[in-house]
Amino acid sequence: MNDPPSDVNENIIDIFVLSVSETVTSLFTEHLEKKGYRVTLFTDGRYLLQTLREGKPNLLICDTSTLDEEGFEVCRLIKADNDLWVIPVLILAKGSSLTDLLRVLDCNADNFITHPFDPAYGLSVIDGLLSTPVERQTP
């Protein structure tokens, strides 16, 4: 895992990735770091949530294709938290079935992409999330 972001006021965009798949993490790390983003990898949702109290990333990517329910639960907890809800959350889902879509909607993720995905498309979704303010979901 990489070091969490420092408290120094930097113009670096921090992206946290929650995944246990080396394939997914290497794909995201390679493409995002080429664009100048700082990527911090997490394999444990509880540790990620603790780290968010120290500093918020500009984006969180939760890989539910390998973590399944833990990725959705982390997203739910973030979106229900009065301090953390402003973090945009991108879900990487297993497929594009109605059940998958309902699970994404249920956790209040800001967007999702299905695995496998075209890296160029994934980066365009990420760029869109980074440039659009997050709106608080109402229950």
Side-chain angles (χ1 to χ4, degrees):
M1 188 186 81
N2 301 342
D3 293 327
S6 64
D7 289 335
V8 178
N9 188 5
E10 301 173 349
N11 289 328
I12 294 176
I13 294 177
D14 285 305
I15 298 178
F16 287 4
V17 178
L18 176 62
S19 179
V20 294
S21 167
E22 288 185 29
T23 304
V24 169
T25 57
S26 65
L27 178 71
F28 275 116
T29 302
E30 177 185 339
H31 290 285
L32 294 173
E33 287 179 347
K34 280 183 184 175
K35 291 194 70 155
Y37 301 142
R38 179 172 43 205
V39 179
T40 306
L41 307 173
F42 293 87
T43 57
D44 179 273
R46 279 186 246 142
Y47 181 69
L48 167 66
L49 290 167
Q50 290 172 351
T51 304
L52 291 177
R53 299 293 174 197
E54 299 167 17
K56 297 179 188 97
N58 300 90
L59 175 68
L60 169 63
I61 300 170
C62 289
D63 177 14
T64 63
S65 68
T66 58
L67 290 169
D68 200 34
E69 194 55 41
E70 183 180 14
F72 289 115
E73 186 59 25
V74 165
C75 183
R76 272 188 217 97
L77 291 170
I78 289 170
K79 293 304 178 178
D81 187 281
N82 285 330
D83 293 324
L84 302 177
W85 68 268
V86 297
I87 301 168
V89 179
L90 174 65
I91 295 287
L92 179 59
K94 289 180 189 174
S96 57
S97 71
L98 179 58
T99 303
D100 293 328
L101 178 59
L102 292 174
R103 291 177 80 190
V104 170
L105 291 171
D106 180 56
C107 73
N108 287 323
D110 297 288
N111 207 336
F112 79 103
I113 54 177
T114 58
H115 185 69
F117 61 92
D118 175 60
Y121 172 72
L123 289 173
S124 71
V125 171
I126 289 168
D127 289 340
L129 284 168
L130 290 170
S131 64
T132 306
V134 174
E135 292 186 22
R136 183 115 197 221
Q137 300 291 324
T138 54

